[in-house]
Amino acid sequence: MRHQMINDTLYFYFHGDFDNLAVQNVKQLCIDLIHKHKPAVVKMDFEDVSFIDSTGIGFVLARYKQLNKMGARLVLCNLSRANQTLFHMSGVFQILSHERNGVKL
């Protein structure tokens, strides 16, 4: 995972499979970076993610709750068609927005 802070937006760039192992590797770092930077918006870029499982969806929802307590927003970016369908079926888009863009490192 890569990240960058631009103005009031914290960007996370994920790659590969976003499954239990990947979430274990990035969870605490993401929590700490959000706590440190206190962004107004967090954008999670999934352009280079090939697979997301239920652990990945749970991670996204947990970060949504963390940010919501701070009054910040979470936006999912650049989901593949399959991953967008997965998030849609899980009901995530009832509380989160998604977009096709973002700032690349």
Side-chain angles (χ1 to χ4, degrees):
M1 179 195 78
R2 300 178 323 267
H3 72 278
Q4 66 180 341
M5 183 77 181
I6 300 175
N7 299 321
D8 288 337
T9 302
L10 179 58
Y11 294 85
F12 292 118
Y13 303 93
F14 303 110
H15 58 88
D17 291 345
F18 202 64
D19 55 10
N20 186 49
L21 180 61
V23 168
Q24 285 179 19
N25 289 333
V26 301
K27 178 180 175 181
Q28 194 58 52
L29 178 59
C30 291
I31 291 169
D32 293 345
L33 287 167
I34 290 168
H35 180 74
K36 175 184 173 184
H37 292 291
K38 297 182 180 20
V41 179
V42 169
K43 293 191 175 189
M44 294 184 174
D45 190 309
F46 290 92
E47 184 172 20
D48 296 327
V49 172
S50 52
F51 171 78
I52 300 173
D53 71 2
S54 60
T55 308
I57 292 172
F59 168 83
V60 168
L61 290 173
R63 298 298 64 75
Y64 166 78
K65 289 178 183 178
Q66 178 187 6
L67 291 161
N68 196 40
K69 288 179 184 177
M70 300 169 50
R73 277 186 327 118
L74 175 60
V75 180
L76 306 181
C77 299
N78 303 317
L79 292 164
S80 68
R81 183 181 295 286
N83 289 335
Q84 185 172 338
T85 299
L86 179 67
F87 275 108
H88 180 73
M89 288 173 46
S90 71
V92 167
F93 293 142
Q94 293 178 17
I95 58 173
L96 292 177
S97 61
H98 61 99
E99 58 188 38
R100 296 242 16 118
N101 63 15
V103 176
K104 295 311 266 181
L105 285 175

